[in-house]
Amino acid sequence: MRTLAFQMPDRGSGGPTGPRIRVGQPSRRAKTLLTTAGVLAVLAMLFVMFAGFWTEWLWFQSVQYTTVFTTTLWTKVGLFAFFGLLMSLAVGLNIWLAHRLRPPLSAMSLEQQSLDRYRMGIAPFKKWVLLGITALVGLISGASAAGQWRTWLMWVNGTSFGKTDAQFGKDISFFAFDLPFYRFLLSFGFAAVVLSLIAAALVHYLYGGLRLTTPGARATSQATGHLSVLLGLFVALKAVAYWLDRYGLALKSSSIRGTDWTGLKYTDANAYLPAKTILFIIAVICAVLFFAALWRRTWQLPVIAFGLMVLSAILIGGLYPAIVQKFQVQPNELVKETPYIKKNMEATQEAYGINDADVSDYKGTTPDNGDENEKLREAADTTASLRLLDPSVVPPAYRQLQQVRGYYTFPDTLDVDRYADKDGKERDTVVGLREINIDGIPERNWINDHFKYTHGFGMVAASGTDVDTDGTPVFSERNLPPEETLAGKYQPRVYYGEKTTQYSIVGGPQEELDYADDEGEKTYNYTGKSGVSMSGPLNRAAYALTFGEPQFMYSSAIGDGSRILYNRTPKERVEAVAPWLTIDGDPYPAIVKGKIQWIVDAYTTSDGYPYSSRTTLGDTTEDSLTADGQRSVIAQQDEVNYIRNSVKATVDAYTGDVKLFEWDKQDPVLKTWMKAFPGTVEGKEKISDELMDHLRYPQDLFKVQRELLQRYHVDTPGQFYSGSERWQIPDDPTHKDNPSVPPYYLSMKMPDQKAQTFSLTTTFNPNRRETLGAFMAVDADARSDEYGKIRILKLPSNTTVAGPQQVQSKFNSDPDIAREINILQRGDSEVEYGNLLTVPLEGGLLYVEPVYVRGAGTNYPRMRKVLVTYGEEIAFEDTLEQALDKVFNTSGGGDEDSSDDPPAEDEEENTPPDNDGPPTSVEDALSDAKDAYEAGQKALEEGDWEEYGKQQKALQEALEEAEGASDPGD
């Protein structure tokens, strides 16, 4: 009887026999050294891995948020272990089963003869190969599953929204919390089946169960049955995918007339939705036919099933919806889509919190009666506290006048807050912290960078509505050490701040530089409990590896009491302890109960709100102030269609303590995360009155809302569809690269309000036009009963009211103003334009823009002029009061108590320079200019900034006199 199995020659027989000579074998000592080196290498690798884990645990322990670390860690470990093991078992079981079902004898063919060599090579290592493959797929799958820890926690702890979607009647939580996890399970199932199918097919082929070139049957009955079951599972999963796709239509992204769209449209509801249901039924039938091959042992039914699925997907899932769109929707799109547009409008407005926006008509025109001028002038004083300090322009002035030493600095953009003046009246205040600037250290070395220069010192604040006689800020909190005139005595040391990005080691043998004054340097030793102890060798070794700094191990500057401070910016600290929050790009400091507290707004977001249109946070929150990236939002998910400012957080500038406060008690997403991380968020009632005084409406949320309101401010689907009422965000006219204009904080009152309130404001242009389309303000004062109320003043569609860019163009093209600008720019002086503020005033729009001059020899701007326009009138004067008087053709300012009134010393603003008297000729004026310039240079050399400012003022006025004397006809 002929044997069909191909026999390999015995590789162990034949050849000479005799003693074997070992060539180049290592000695016992060499083996010991190699073994020791290998063990040490493994231990080193393990310690590196341990160091990362250990330092992270120590950091969370130092901020007292270990539950966040442990919950996240064990969730990741659990998902990794469960899904990694599940994938390993699935693939390993199918490999084992395919091997078990191999034919007892392989066919006599060249194909099988070639495969015999591989079978013989694998035979001694089959178990190891099986373990290796299953371990590899398990590790990859487990790591992928661990990355879904947020999805798992949201599914397990999901909280009802109490609202249902407009199509399926399911609670919103199904789409926000459940559907993402079901899709993850489905994708995992597909991966497990596909990997198992590939592995099983390879094993069947290797052992003869599948034959590509061998005459006769291409597959054994065992291989056919095994593979048909796996294919049946794949088709069954496809049926589940079709069913979930039905719900996915409520989150489907598309467009309508060029506008981004989320949710079902007419074709989706009347073609795709029934098509998905039919395809689900067909897929179930096809899966049954694949399973039937287990008994019939033939591919006939599976092939028919596969063909039926492909044909159904083409005809029902593709062709039929295309026919409906072409012949039913396109001929009468508005009528067909109206119900779905309405659903989208309602869902989007609810998801972004803009459903209660108060939109009212506003004529935007000025009164024709000249008798109204006095009334308008008085209203200008009471309607708004017009801010003359632009937080993005004046930081160089803060640095030059209040930085004191080169190793301090201020942020590139300061913040606007509210503080009471000495009379108890609340004023808009421009604030910034004097933070440490490592680049400014006189001598850079490891000790100075990380041990000596460790912290900033003090807050600097200035009234937003006033400037001094020389155009510099009127500081209400200043100098080093601080003069406590703003909020009383407080802890001024700033160990945590926006510019503090390097690590510092404090509290040990090495003393820190506290500050320097006329008596010399003052030293300090940190007494807070922040940071991680560096006293023990284990911690020092772990941090030496983590930071790549071997000096941690042997430096004498580290000893008993030494603590390392890192993760020092407010945004990264809040993001670390609450990794499920999206962090606003603009933290701001406030003095609360004798401490400097960074206030950080945080958001809960979702991309699973049915019918709500998506927005991209990174793009939406960009404007002219985010160009450097420092004020950019930290987003856990960039594309969202639901957002709430649900958490207010604080970071202590001295201790680094992080506290999270529940702000939106109705937010189901926050409730879900609070269930997942119990105890991490404190109740809203824990917010102190002192802290509440400084809470405000966040800028990034406002930017997202104004982005959506460009399209969703309309009332009817017809208006939305036509786009005739669409708005756009103006470009910032004060920036050459034309980014979006930022929103501005401003104390003002809208037409329906009786008193000023701290507000966040912006303007809109009509689409593709530069006139003004609307003005938007939100009540930003957290103490207000109407906090968060959005008011929109909508101008008539045919309005000719100038928008921000047109106002700037009108300003630049005015011949008188252009001549004065040329005078201001003489020499090396530069003109900078401040924020162009818009204020609704008695039916019209008042525009105010401060103008700064960066004089020759100085490195900071001074406010020299103010632009004011109202209707067709325009003024360009030295002070706000003068400009308002000119615009309204009145002789004197309004209310004496107005926040716009400058300090008494401003009366000297227009006094002639301190010289021999007013010049009577060009020669006299130039002589005065020369004297003022030389005196200014002398003051500059001596560091007398006050005297230097006075001489710059004198120089400027002398040049103006020279200009007037040279043109007596003017």
Side-chain angles (χ1 to χ4, degrees):
M1 183 174 178
R2 192 159 56 108
T3 302
L4 296 178
F6 180 76
Q7 301 293 330
M8 293 290 292
D10 183 4
R11 294 185 181 182
S13 62
T17 60
R20 297 182 180 180
I21 301 175
R22 298 183 178 180
V23 180
Q25 293 292 326
S27 65
R28 179 175 297 178
R29 182 180 179 183
K31 286 183 179 180
T32 303
L33 291 175
L34 289 173
T35 302
T36 303
V39 171
L40 292 176
V42 170
L43 290 175
M45 292 176 60
L46 291 175
F47 186 76
V48 170
M49 296 171 61
F50 168 78
F53 165 83
W54 182 242
T55 54
E56 189 173 5
W57 161 257
L58 290 174
W59 186 86
F60 275 95
Q61 192 177 50
S62 71
V63 293
Q64 299 180 353
Y65 278 89
T66 54
T67 56
V68 174
F69 178 81
T70 55
T71 299
T72 304
L73 175 65
W74 289 119
T75 301
K76 290 179 179 179
V77 169
L79 292 172
F80 177 89
F82 179 80
F83 286 99
L85 182 61
L86 189 60
M87 182 65 78
S88 296
L89 289 175
V91 175
L93 178 63
N94 280 280
I95 291 175
W96 175 83
L97 187 59
H99 181 267
R100 185 72 178 267
L101 296 176
R102 68 189 185 280
L105 299 174
S106 58
M108 181 68 73
S109 67
L110 292 177
E111 179 185 24
Q112 294 303 311
Q113 291 176 8
S114 299
L115 290 174
D116 270 339
R117 285 178 293 174
Y118 295 104
R119 290 194 285 262
M120 294 290 290
I122 292 174
F125 311 105
K126 285 190 292 187
K127 291 183 179 179
W128 292 108
V129 171
L130 176 62
L131 289 175
I133 292 174
T134 55
L136 179 62
V137 297
L139 289 173
I140 296 174
S141 300
S144 177
Q148 297 294 322
W149 64 271
R150 290 183 178 88
T151 304
W152 163 262
L153 288 176
M154 292 180 76
W155 178 68
V156 171
N157 300 285
T159 303
S160 172
F161 274 67
K163 298 178 182 178
T164 57
D165 77 287
Q167 182 66 40
F168 302 100
K170 285 187 168 292
D171 191 273
I172 304 299
S173 61
F174 171 80
F175 299 91
F177 306 140
D178 299 341
L179 191 58
F181 185 68
Y182 297 155
R183 288 195 178 279
F184 161 69
L185 291 178
L186 184 64
S187 63
F188 179 85
F190 273 122
V193 171
V194 169
L195 290 175
S196 297
L197 184 62
I198 294 172
L202 288 174
V203 173
H204 280 301
Y205 175 70
L206 181 63
Y207 286 95
L210 294 178
R211 304 152 189 167
L212 301 181
T213 61
T214 301
R218 299 299 183 196
T220 63
S221 59
Q222 291 85 352
T224 299
H226 184 194
L227 297 180
S228 65
V229 170
L230 291 176
L231 289 170
L233 289 173
F234 182 88
V235 176
L237 290 174
K238 187 62 179 175
V240 176
Y242 281 133
W243 187 257
L244 292 181
D245 284 346
R246 297 169 66 254
Y247 302 110
L249 292 172
L251 303 171
K252 176 185 175 183
S253 295
S254 59
S255 64
I256 184 168
R257 290 181 61 84
T259 301
D260 292 338
W261 177 275
T262 301
L264 291 87
K265 295 186 291 187
Y266 180 88
T267 302
D268 299 312
N270 296 277
Y272 279 111
L273 186 56
K276 296 291 184 183
T277 304
I278 295 171
L279 289 172
F280 163 75
I281 296 172
I282 292 174
V284 171
I285 296 173
C286 291
V288 173
L289 293 178
F290 271 102
F291 291 139
L294 185 62
W295 292 277
R296 292 179 58 90
R297 306 291 175 142
T298 175
W299 289 104
Q300 183 177 5
L301 286 177
V303 169
I304 294 174
F306 181 77
L308 178 61
M309 280 193 63
V310 172
L311 185 62
S312 301
I314 294 173
L315 295 179
I316 302 175
L319 184 59
Y320 174 60
I323 293 173
V324 171
Q325 178 68 24
K326 179 71 175 177
F327 295 102
Q328 292 190 35
V329 177
Q330 288 185 5
N332 197 8
E333 189 172 35
L334 177 57
V335 173
K336 295 292 186 183
E337 301 292 10
T338 290
Y340 305 97
I341 294 175
K342 186 176 181 181
K343 293 176 183 178
N344 176 270
M345 290 174 61
E346 292 175 350
T348 302
Q349 291 171 351
E350 170 64 31
Y352 289 96
I354 57 178
N355 53 323
D356 293 329
D358 183 2
V359 182
S360 58
D361 294 330
Y362 191 74
K363 61 181 182 179
T365 56
T366 59
D368 296 330
N369 186 358
D371 296 336
E372 296 288 325
N373 286 347
E374 290 291 345
K375 179 182 176 182
L376 290 172
R377 179 63 182 86
E378 292 177 5
D381 285 329
T382 58
T383 297
S385 297
L386 297 168
R387 181 163 41 76
L388 300 178
L389 288 192
D390 184 340
S392 65
V393 175
V394 298
Y398 276 54
R399 294 189 185 105
Q400 288 293 328
L401 301 175
Q402 287 295 318
Q403 182 172 308
V404 182
R405 295 289 187 272
Y407 45 80
Y408 294 126
T409 189
F410 290 92
D412 296 329
T413 300
L414 302 172
D415 293 292
V416 179
D417 201 351
R418 298 137 294 159
Y419 286 92
D421 60 18
K422 59 183 179 181
D423 297 324
K425 185 173 182 179
E426 190 172 273
R427 287 179 178 264
D428 292 353
T429 307
V430 178
V431 301
L433 295 188
R434 190 184 289 107
E435 295 190 42
I436 197 70
N437 174 29
I438 292 299
D439 294 331
I441 295 176
E443 183 178 348
R444 297 290 304 275
N445 55 58
W446 188 60
I447 293 295
N448 280 348
D449 285 2
H450 301 289
F451 291 81
K452 183 175 181 180
Y453 295 89
T454 59
H455 60 278
F457 208 98
M459 174 184 282
V460 175
S463 170
T465 56
D466 303 323
V467 292
D468 213 334
T469 55
D470 60 351
T472 57
V474 179
F475 293 109
S476 53
E477 186 75 32
R478 61 189 181 275
N479 295 345
L480 194 76
E483 297 176 6
E484 296 91 0
T485 60
L486 185 68
K489 189 175 181 180
Y490 66 96
Q491 169 57 264
R493 296 170 181 87
V494 181
Y495 282 88
Y496 296 89
E498 290 181 289
K499 308 287 283 187
T500 312
T501 56
Q502 79 289 342
Y503 71 86
S504 290
I505 298 178
V506 298
Q510 179 68 45
E511 289 189 327
E512 311 162 45
L513 171 67
D514 203 23
Y515 65 91
D517 58 16
D518 295 339
E519 298 177 2
E521 293 185 349
K522 308 294 183 180
T523 60
Y524 183 73
N525 200 288
Y526 184 68
T527 60
K529 299 301 181 183
S530 184
V532 178
S533 172
M534 293 285 286
S535 300
L538 176 62
N539 288 4
R540 293 175 72 163
Y543 278 102
L545 282 172
T546 301
F547 286 94
E549 181 49 75
Q551 293 186 78
F552 283 174
M553 294 296 298
Y554 53 80
S555 174
S556 60
I558 302 175
D560 292 340
S562 292
R563 308 181 72 84
I564 183 170
L565 312 181
Y566 61 104
N567 289 352
R568 298 172 71 182
T569 66
K571 287 198 294 186
E572 68 181 339
R573 288 182 79 80
V574 175
E575 194 270 340
V577 302
W580 35 274
L581 288 174
T582 293
I583 311 302
D584 188 271
D586 183 29
Y588 58 98
I591 299 176
V592 181
K593 290 186 175 181
K595 299 178 180 179
I596 298 176
Q597 298 284 345
W598 286 99
I599 300 176
V600 185
D601 285 286
Y603 311 106
T604 46
T605 60
S606 174
D607 64 350
Y609 200 101
Y611 270 108
S612 175
S613 289
R614 290 185 173 88
T615 189
T616 304
L617 292 178
D619 296 336
T620 303
T621 56
E622 283 184 354
D623 60 31
S624 59
L625 300 183
T626 62
D628 59 358
Q630 184 170 331
R631 295 168 68 95
S632 299
V633 65
I634 299 180
Q636 299 302 333
Q637 50 184 154
D638 202 26
E639 275 208 349
V640 303
N641 65 356
Y642 172 92
I643 186 170
R644 290 289 185 272
N645 176 211
S646 53
V647 171
K648 301 283 189 181
T650 62
V651 178
D652 192 296
Y654 182 76
T655 66
D657 290 345
V658 181
K659 291 188 177 181
L660 308 176
F661 298 100
E662 180 185 16
W663 185 249
D664 187 341
K665 292 187 175 183
Q666 307 303 318
D667 179 28
V669 181
L670 177 61
K671 291 179 180 178
T672 296
W673 287 117
M674 289 176 68
K675 288 167 62 178
F677 297 96
T680 57
V681 181
E682 299 183 37
K684 188 174 183 177
E685 65 279 359
K686 297 294 183 65
I687 300 176
S688 66
D689 293 338
E690 291 84 354
L691 176 59
M692 188 70 75
D693 289 342
H694 298 281
L695 298 184
R696 67 187 191 188
Y697 201 82
Q699 290 192 66
D700 285 337
L701 176 60
F702 186 78
K703 293 176 192 176
V704 171
Q705 291 174 326
R706 75 171 179 176
E707 171 74 20
L708 272 297
L709 281 166
Q710 293 178 96
R711 307 185 302 275
Y712 288 94
H713 67 276
V714 297
D715 298 322
T716 66
Q719 291 174 312
F720 183 90
Y721 178 82
S722 68
S724 60
E725 297 294 319
R726 190 169 299 173
W727 298 331
Q728 66 183 25
I729 300 169
D731 294 333
D732 191 340
T734 64
H735 284 71
K736 295 179 180 179
D737 52 353
N738 291 328
S740 297
V741 64
Y744 296 125
Y745 286 106
L746 187 67
S747 289
M748 59 163 292
K749 63 179 180 180
M750 292 289 276
D752 66 326
Q753 293 179 298
K754 295 181 179 180
Q756 293 184 19
T757 186
F758 192 62
S759 304
L760 191 54
T761 66
T762 192
T763 54
F764 294 103
N765 294 145
N767 194 31
R768 300 181 181 177
R769 295 177 61 194
E770 292 186 355
T771 54
L772 192 67
F775 177 84
M776 172 180 167
V778 63
D779 190 331
D781 189 344
R783 300 164 300 185
S784 171
D785 294 335
E786 293 187 313
Y787 171 82
K789 182 176 179 60
I790 297 173
R791 294 177 171 87
I792 298 175
L793 302 181
K794 179 182 176 184
L795 277 72
S797 300
N798 59 351
T799 181
T800 57
V801 177
Q805 290 169 302
Q806 290 179 324
V807 168
Q808 191 70 45
S809 178
K810 179 180 178 181
F811 169 42
N812 294 339
S813 61
D814 185 281
D816 294 331
I817 296 176
R819 183 168 57 252
E820 292 195 56
I821 289 293
N822 288 334
I823 294 174
L824 293 174
Q825 289 179 330
R826 285 183 181 275
D828 295 328
S829 298
E830 299 178 4
V831 170
E832 298 182 37
Y833 301 113
N835 36 219
L836 182 55
L837 302 177
T838 308
V839 177
L841 180 67
E842 299 298 319
L845 275 304
L846 177 70
Y847 284 96
V848 177
E849 182 178 51
V851 178
Y852 300 83
V853 176
R854 192 186 293 256
T858 65
N859 195 30
Y860 66 93
R862 302 168 184 264
M863 202 216 78
R864 290 303 191 187
K865 293 286 186 178
V866 180
L867 162 74
V868 174
T869 64
Y870 186 75
E872 297 302 319
E873 300 297 326
I874 184 170
F876 187 59
E877 302 296 328
D878 293 341
T879 67
L880 176 62
E881 284 67 30
Q882 293 172 0
L884 291 172
D885 289 344
K886 182 175 181 180
V887 161
F888 296 117
N889 193 25
T890 58
S891 58
D895 186 359
E896 293 181 358
D897 292 332
S898 169
S899 59
D900 295 326
D901 292 340
E905 57 265 38
D906 283 4
E907 295 174 1
E908 301 175 4
E909 174 87 355
N910 296 312
T911 58
D914 185 14
N915 48 37
D916 294 334
T920 58
S921 67
V922 175
E923 291 77 8
D924 290 338
L926 292 178
S927 176
D928 289 338
K930 180 175 180 295
D931 293 341
Y933 176 77
E934 291 176 350
Q937 292 301 307
K938 182 178 180 181
L940 181 64
E941 293 175 358
E942 295 175 355
D944 188 346
W945 294 104
E946 184 176 355
E947 178 63 23
Y948 178 78
K950 291 180 179 179
Q951 294 303 326
Q952 286 296 301
K953 177 68 174 177
L955 173 63
Q956 185 63 52
E957 292 179 349
L959 291 174
E960 291 175 2
E961 292 286 353
E963 177 74 13
S966 65
D967 188 9
D970 256 358

